[in-house]
Amino acid sequence: MTGGAPPLAVSFDGSTSTDPDVGDTLTYAWDFDGNGSTDATGVSASHTYNTAGTYNARLTVTDQGGLSNSTTRTITVASGTIAIVVTEPATGRTFKTGALVPVRATATYADGRPVDSSAFSWTLNIEHCVPNAPDSCHSHDLTSLVGNRRVFVMPDHEYPSFVEARLTVDPGDAAPASVVVPVNFRLVDLDVQTLPAGLDVLVGSAAETAPFTRELAMAATTSLSAAVSQTVDGVQYDFVEWRLNGVRLSTQRFAELNLEQDGAVVAVYSADGGVPDVEQPSTPRGLTTTALTSSIRLNWTASTDNVGIAEYEVYRSTDGSFGTLVSTSTSTSFTDGNVSQGVDYTYAVKAVDGAGNRSWRSNLSTEAISNGGGLDTERPTTPRGLKATRINAGVNLTWTASTDNVGVVRYQIYRSADGTLGPLFATTTNTSFVNESVALGETYTYAIRAEDAAGNVSWRSNLASITVD
């Protein structure tokens, strides 16, 4: 195929034509535009195409006996160059395994006309490197798509890797153009340890000596492998089990995991036939909570363990769920003095033995300190100084904290695309928030309201607008 922008000068050469009858005289007829008429004669010719389009140039060679044969060549005369803009995936956006990934783009001719969607073709490949060996990389075919607005599923693949999205736009009446966009995985960290420390384990396709930390693609399938036995300082250790976040994952040397958040895995070995303590304590029962003047008292029944209980972990939330770790106790009671009046606190307890084995959580128990018997009807103060700034992950919002007679429990985030106070978009307990679900070229307007435990909501903050570009 020959192509270029008009005026396009093309040289033609028919000198390689031959005839079985040696000595026959050959004649040449050139049809430059495929309309059936002869535009030139001679063994070679030239023609200038002044109008954009696709032409089938034909050469017919005839011998002196009247026998002939023809051949054609396609000439593409482009109307100019095209410009491609990829809008999705947005810069800095990442995706976990199994997520739907949008691929969207626009293309325009030099005169501003849009290129039709049928001219867009995407070729998607997985570019994969071996962990800790950045030069050992290779490519896997993933899929291909046609159209300017499509989606694909983020693959289940070992990290480090990414999806290379190669877009080619070929409208036929202009020179084709291509652009390559990397689509990156959202990552989690896996802390890898062995018991005892210093043993070798295989995570994915790369082995290392523990302890170490490995980045993984979120929700991707990751394989674990451990040797039957290993020797350290002359002592032989035999494999017992894998533990994930303190809980037994598998007693097989080969195991798999899928992490949605950071985690820790331990390959447990025993020495000289000794078996480590892997038994969980029993669950603490009968958790009760009692409100005192300025604190909340917790009591529960003791757990049992094959070796012994080392401590109890106390968890707390303000939304009725199983919360975060706030303290520990070596007895079967605990007093929480870091509380505010009028706030409902929900508690749970876990038992921990000397080997780090944790029990299942106790029942949940909720308690609040009275604020004198009256209903809390006081609004929190208005959040001030709302700012919206552009970061790679999207839009970062920051504001100053509100105050309340009892306590602020969350902030409500509102968003619109028309410059007004929009609908409720998200909530957070912090004085900052990252909005990742944004589109390039859109202008967003944000506002914040503070909310206390009684459901009182402050007046809205100032409006903050930003254009994502």
Side-chain angles (χ1 to χ4, degrees), residues 166-429:
R166 180 178 294 273
L167 169 62
T168 299
V169 181
D170 187 0
D173 60 351
S178 296
V179 64
V180 176
V181 179
V183 184
N184 294 310
F185 284 99
R186 186 163 297 180
L187 304 180
V188 294
D189 286 336
L190 177 66
D191 291 329
V192 183
Q193 303 176 30
T194 58
L195 182 62
L199 303 181
D200 294 332
V201 293
L202 184 72
V203 178
S205 59
E208 287 189 65
T209 301
F212 61 90
T213 299
R214 183 74 59 81
E215 285 187 319
L216 307 178
M218 180 183 289
T221 302
T222 299
S223 61
L224 306 172
S225 178
V228 174
S229 62
Q230 300 188 53
T231 301
V232 177
D233 296 330
V235 179
Q236 178 176 308
Y237 294 88
D238 298 320
F239 178 80
V240 176
E241 66 176 10
W242 290 100
R243 293 183 193 170
L244 177 62
N245 298 330
V247 179
R248 177 182 292 166
L249 173 66
S250 175
T251 57
Q252 303 298 313
R253 294 188 299 112
F254 304 98
E256 292 182 341
L257 52 79
N258 304 81
L259 290 185
E260 295 274 355
Q261 57 188 359
D262 295 345
V265 69
V266 181
V268 180
Y269 280 74
S270 65
D272 299 328
V275 179
D277 177 19
V278 295
E279 184 175 327
Q280 287 181 299
S282 65
T283 304
R285 303 289 183 183
L287 173 63
T288 61
T289 50
T290 304
L292 305 177
T293 303
S294 58
S295 61
I296 296 177
R297 180 74 170 174
L298 285 67
N299 291 279
W300 60 90
T301 58
S303 296
T304 58
D305 185 68
N306 61 318
V307 176
I309 302 298
E311 63 182 5
Y312 294 91
E313 296 178 338
V314 180
Y315 296 80
R316 188 184 76 178
S317 76
T318 56
D319 60 5
S321 66
F322 176 67
T324 58
L325 179 65
V326 293
S327 190
T328 60
S329 174
T330 56
S331 67
T332 56
S333 63
F334 174 76
T335 299
D336 185 6
N338 186 26
V339 293
S340 301
Q341 289 188 342
V343 179
D344 289 332
Y345 294 98
T346 298
Y347 296 89
V349 177
K350 285 184 177 182
V352 184
D353 66 14
N357 300 302
R358 286 170 174 79
S359 72
W360 300 109
R361 71 162 175 83
S362 69
N363 57 294
L364 299 177
S365 183
T366 301
E367 195 68 47
I369 300 175
S370 172
N371 60 3
L375 293 176
D376 177 17
T377 59
E378 183 175 328
R379 292 175 184 266
T381 61
T382 304
R384 302 290 183 183
L386 173 62
K387 294 180 181 179
T389 55
R390 182 75 168 95
I391 61 174
N392 285 339
V395 174
N396 185 46
L397 304 176
T398 58
W399 59 92
T400 58
S402 297
T403 59
D404 186 67
N405 62 317
V406 177
V408 174
V409 295
R410 66 180 63 86
Y411 292 92
Q412 300 175 352
I413 302 170
Y414 297 80
R415 187 183 80 169
S416 76
D418 59 5
T420 65
L421 176 66
L424 180 64
F425 173 71
T427 63
T428 181
T429 58

Side-chain angles (χ1 to χ4, degrees), residues 5 78-84 107-115 171 173-175:
S79 61
T81 59
I82 56 176
I84 300 175
T108 53
Y109 293 97
D111 59 8
R113 291 179 296 116
V115 178
D173 60 351

